Amino acid sequence: MPVATLLPFTATPSRKSASPTSFRLTEKFILLLVFSAFITLCFGAIFFLPDSSKLLSGVFFHSSAVETNTRTGTDSVSNIAIGTDEKILAKIRKDHEKALVEAKDTLQKRPDEIKQEIQNDKEKVSQENRWKGARNDNNLPVIEYVRPPGATGHEPADPETKERRAKIKEMMKFAWDSYKRYAWGSNELRPVSKQGHSSNLFGSIKGATIVDALDTLYIMEMYEDFDMATEWVEKNLDFNVNAEVSVFEVNIRFVGGLLSAYYLSGKEVFRKKAIELGEKLLPAFKTPTGIPWALLNLKSGIGRNWPWASGGSSILAEYGTLHLEFMHLSKLSGNPAFAEKVMNIRKVLNRLDKPQGLYPNYLNPNSGQWGQHHVSVGGLGDSFYEYLLKAWLMSDKTDDEGKKLYYDALKAIETSLIRKSSGGLTYIAEWKGGLLEHKMGHLTCFAGGMIALGADGAPEDQTGHQMEQAAEIARTCHESYARTTLKLGPEAFRFDGGVEAIATRQNEKYFILRPEVIETYMYMWRFTHDPKYRDWGWEAVQALEKYCRVDGGYSGVRDVYASSPNHDDVQQSFYLAETLKYLYLLFSDDDHLPFDHWVFNTEAHPLPVIKKIPDTVKPHQLE
């Protein structure tokens, strides 16, 4: 049968053609256009849609697979193959629809928005490439180490202050020597029974006191002990353990301690170990929202939350207290993933409605919704607010988002939580489902120092008001110490039932060498130079020496209202990291770890401000 009879086209006499069956030029063009579009669509689907490698595999190897399956002689295998084809086609359709939606969304954006997104992507790629230059033996970027100012100080000119400062150093030496003698390599010391102690917070990682104390040893110029601790870290600190750890505690104590030791000393081992541990913590963020799990098995990477947390929630103070350390991990490793993880936490929080502007302590990492509406500036919430402010300060005041989030949160706290007792004491209550609980925890006492630290940047001329608030909170926390028998503060104190700044429940009367009240004294001294803060700090020193010092170190006590101390037999690692360090700085001059160059993490580990970098400075240079 002639081919011409099958085609709807006929030769046109007015045009030249090679044969009676030739197409007109217009018809050729249309046919070519249709054919080109078909080919483009097919190859576009193969090469550019997601999972194109799997699709290519199916296109080029499917026939042989079918032949192999057919040789088995079973219809079920053929049905499976057909089902697989249908799944692939369904995925192509779904991905195609997704691509069309994304393209439509992009076209609806303003040109300046599209340009900004392109610029952001370019900057991200540029930043990644910038760090892929020179690298050392550990495959880390080569960094020109420059120690920030004020890593160590000089002796105060005032004789009394000099003597008190020397006493704090003697306390540190006694606590450290006791740990070395009775518990070296363990996480913490039992000073009464004179043996090692380990909390399940650290799994089977060892040496919490060593890592926590590194920067305190350096700051107090105890260099022989610092070198001994450094050698232990190099030879014995091991994170390759099959154990579940608290992401929060390991971050603030181990990662924070190692970072601080690096910035103070410049020793590369600390940078290497900090980054190694940081990488092991990254699987904690593998949740639908990116809000990290509270607990993580360092070997398997499997995470979970505390079983007692509301509805399987993550805790505000835990997932909100990673920002400072993770920003420095990105800076020192060249891996932007650390910074991206903590910035994503902000994105999740920004999308949520806050009851009365407050942040509940519980957030479900799967649904991204708040759990029980319990708000506290003490336990479960405290350091989240601290890190909002310090993120701004550590960024050399360029993190405007962190600044706004902090001052907005502080305004909500003032409106809903800050109250004054009938006796004139200002306190920060807790909020549970719309009802106030007139209780303030020892942990909440850090807020006096936080508010003082942020007062200078406060909006709408609120600096004076916030300094007054900070001073009032410091006074309340001092009263919680002064009103006990041992002159040491309880774990929590109340303002109801006719009592003020006094613990009324037995399980709130203990003192475990906590630093928060001393921390606020140190900040208030730096900003006001009012001598009462040094006097109050010295009162705490005398109480620590009289009631917490035992033959084998320092111990917490179970009841601060008892006539004599009943020791709990634990020398907490944070006693060396925080309490003694803040006391030492309280009796040091202001140029020792000055606030315009250093920011303290919530475990009192100083981290340098990441200075704005002029164009003439290398991107990787530390300032």
Side-chain angles (χ1 to χ4, degrees):
M1 184 183 296
V3 175
T5 61
L6 296 176
L7 297 172
F9 303 105
T10 56
T12 305
S14 60
R15 292 181 180 271
K16 294 182 180 179
S17 58
S19 72
T21 60
S22 296
F23 302 142
R24 289 196 299 256
L25 186 59
T26 306
E27 294 161 346
K28 284 182 178 180
F29 177 78
I30 293 172
L31 186 61
L32 181 62
L33 190 63
V34 172
F35 183 74
S36 299
F38 177 76
I39 293 297
T40 302
L41 181 62
C42 291
F43 278 86
I46 292 173
F47 288 102
F48 297 106
L49 286 177
D51 287 342
S52 57
S53 59
K54 294 179 181 178
L55 182 58
L56 281 169
S57 175
V59 170
F60 292 114
F61 303 111
H62 175 67
S63 58
S64 59
V66 170
E67 288 174 6
T68 304
N69 291 337
T70 304
R71 291 190 193 105
T72 64
T74 60
D75 293 335
S76 59
V77 175
S78 300
N79 292 335
I80 291 172
I82 294 170
T84 303
D85 290 343
E86 290 175 350
K87 288 180 180 178
I88 292 173
L89 290 173
K91 179 166 177 54
I92 292 173
R93 284 194 294 269
K94 182 178 179 181
D95 291 341
H96 189 199
E97 290 170 359
K98 181 180 178 182
L100 288 174
V101 170
E102 290 176 353
K104 184 178 179 181
D105 289 343
T106 301
L107 291 173
Q108 288 177 344
K109 293 179 180 178
R110 299 195 310 271
D112 59 326
E113 290 180 322
I114 298 174
K115 287 181 181 178
Q116 186 60 49
E117 288 183 359
I118 294 172
Q119 183 62 30
N120 291 343
D121 289 341
K122 288 172 65 177
E123 289 176 358
K124 181 178 178 181
V125 172
S126 175
Q127 181 184 17
E128 291 173 354
N129 290 337
R130 202 164 57 203
W131 288 96
K132 291 178 182 176
R135 304 184 84 82
N136 63 18
D137 294 338
N138 298 316
N139 199 33
L140 297 176
V142 174
I143 290 179
E144 181 182 350
Y145 172 77
V146 179
R147 182 182 290 106
T152 56
H154 48 76
E155 291 188 343
D158 175 62
E160 183 182 65
T161 305
K162 177 180 177 181
E163 182 181 346
R164 291 180 173 182
R165 184 173 181 259
K167 174 58 181 176
I168 309 304
K169 183 173 179 177
E170 185 275 328
M171 294 169 69
M172 175 65 184
K173 181 167 177 54
F174 178 67
W176 176 255
D177 286 348
S178 298
Y179 169 78
K180 281 195 304 182
R181 182 176 181 181
Y182 301 117
W184 183 250
S186 298
N187 280 318
E188 290 169 321
L189 163 68
R190 289 194 176 277
V192 177
S193 52
K194 298 180 181 179
Q195 60 185 10
H197 166 70
S198 185
S199 165
N200 59 5
L201 297 172
F202 314 117
S204 47
I205 298 177
K206 301 298 182 184
T209 292
I210 296 174
V211 176
D212 237 358
L214 279 165
D215 52 7
T216 307
L217 294 170
Y218 192 94
I219 290 163
M220 293 187 183
E221 301 180 50
M222 298 169 63
Y223 296 129
E224 287 186 13
D225 292 301
F226 179 82
D227 290 342
M228 178 186 293
T230 301
E231 183 179 4
W232 186 91
V233 168
E234 197 158 16
K235 294 181 178 178
N236 301 105
L237 185 58
D238 183 15
F239 305 127
N240 295 311
V241 294
N242 183 13
E244 193 175 58
V245 302
S246 163
V247 174
F248 163 74
E249 294 289 353
V250 165
N251 175 65
I252 65 172
R253 301 198 203 200
F254 283 89
V255 177
L258 292 165
L259 288 173
S260 185
Y262 168 73
Y263 283 118
L264 288 167
S265 70
K267 292 184 181 293
E268 190 69 14
V269 61
F270 298 127
R271 178 168 77 123
K272 175 188 172 185
K273 290 287 186 180
I275 293 168
E276 178 190 349
L277 179 54
E279 289 172 346
K280 287 187 173 295
L281 295 179
L282 286 176
F285 294 84
K286 290 182 179 178
T287 66
T289 58
I291 298 294
W293 300 112
L295 302 169
L296 180 73
N297 185 297
L298 292 184
K299 182 176 183 179
S300 67
I302 296 173
R304 66 183 178 100
N305 277 332
W306 298 105
W308 49 262
S310 171
S313 291
S314 299
I315 308 298
L316 181 68
E318 296 191 339
Y319 67 76
T321 311
L322 303 166
H323 191 100
L324 303 186
E325 297 83 0
F326 274 51
M327 295 301 284
H328 272 286
L329 285 175
S330 272
K331 181 178 179 64
L332 294 181
S333 69
N335 183 357
F338 296 107
E340 290 167 358
K341 298 298 184 187
V342 291
M343 291 307 294
N344 177 66
I345 293 173
R346 277 199 196 168
K347 291 178 183 177
V348 174
L349 293 176
N350 282 338
R351 290 196 296 264
L352 291 168
D353 291 329
K354 289 84 179 172
Q356 299 183 33
L358 300 169
Y359 291 81
N361 291 336
Y362 301 106
L363 179 65
N364 190 294
N366 294 313
S367 67
Q369 299 300 314
W370 299 120
Q372 177 186 356
H373 280 195
H374 174 211
V375 177
S376 170
V377 184
L380 307 182
D382 49 8
S383 44
F384 164 73
Y385 305 99
E386 174 189 358
Y387 270 39
L388 290 178
L389 170 63
K390 290 181 176 179
W392 173 57
L393 296 174
M394 197 182 76
S395 72
D396 207 8
K397 299 183 178 179
T398 61
D399 183 1
D400 292 331
E401 182 183 54
K403 177 184 179 181
K404 182 179 187 306
L405 290 172
Y406 167 72
Y407 288 110
D408 287 350
L410 187 60
K411 184 178 179 181
I413 289 167
E414 180 176 5
T415 301
S416 300
L417 303 181
I418 295 182
R419 295 291 183 266
K420 184 164 285 193
S421 72
S422 57
L425 295 179
T426 298
Y427 61 97
I428 306 177
E430 298 190 7
W431 187 78
K432 292 184 177 179
L435 298 176
L436 280 185
E437 184 179 13
H438 298 274
K439 177 187 79 171
M440 186 169 175
H442 192 291
L443 288 166
T444 318
C445 285
F446 91 97
M450 176 186 73
I451 294 171
L453 180 62
D456 187 53
E460 301 174 2
D461 301 322
Q462 290 286 302
T463 298
H465 170 66
Q466 292 190 9
M467 282 304 299
E468 289 176 9
Q469 274 188 335
E472 290 175 1
I473 291 169
R475 174 173 165 249
T476 298
C477 292
H478 173 257
E479 285 299 312
S480 77
Y481 274 53
R483 299 182 185 194
T484 70
T485 306
L486 304 184
K487 305 306 176 188
L488 296 167
E491 181 69 5
F493 45 94
R494 295 180 178 269
F495 298 85
D496 54 17
V499 302
E500 294 191 354
I502 293 175
T504 58
R505 303 180 184 182
Q506 191 59 43
N507 63 355
E508 296 173 347
K509 294 181 179 181
Y510 61 89
F511 171 75
I512 57 171
L513 309 173
R514 285 202 187 277
E516 289 78 20
V517 175
I518 307 295
E519 177 183 356
T520 281
Y521 293 165
M522 188 275 291
Y523 279 106
M524 293 305 298
W525 164 256
R526 284 275 182 106
F527 289 116
T528 69
H529 286 178
D530 187 330
K532 71 183 178 188
Y533 296 113
R534 279 183 165 173
D535 292 340
W536 289 353
W538 188 246
E539 289 174 9
V541 168
Q542 292 174 305
L544 286 166
E545 286 293 277
K546 186 174 182 179
Y547 298 114
C548 297
R549 185 164 179 157
V550 296
D551 288 344
Y554 289 87
S555 171
V557 295
R558 291 190 171 92
D559 187 346
V560 293
Y561 299 96
S563 56
S564 61
N566 180 10
H567 295 108
D568 65 10
D569 197 19
V570 179
Q571 179 176 282
Q572 305 279 348
S573 77
F574 56 67
Y575 179 66
L576 291 79
E578 300 186 74
T579 309
L580 293 176
K581 183 186 291 144
Y582 283 134
L583 280 169
Y584 189 77
L585 293 174
L586 175 63
F587 295 104
S588 297
D589 291 344
D590 294 356
D591 60 358
H592 196 177
L593 297 175
F595 293 161
D596 55 345
H597 290 284
W598 296 91
V599 171
F600 294 89
N601 89 334
T602 200
E603 189 78 3
H605 295 306
L607 301 172
V609 170
I610 301 175
K611 297 291 186 180
K612 288 176 283 195
I613 303 176
D615 294 337
T616 55
V617 178
K618 296 178 182 178
H620 60 261
Q621 183 173 342
L622 292 176
E623 292 195 359

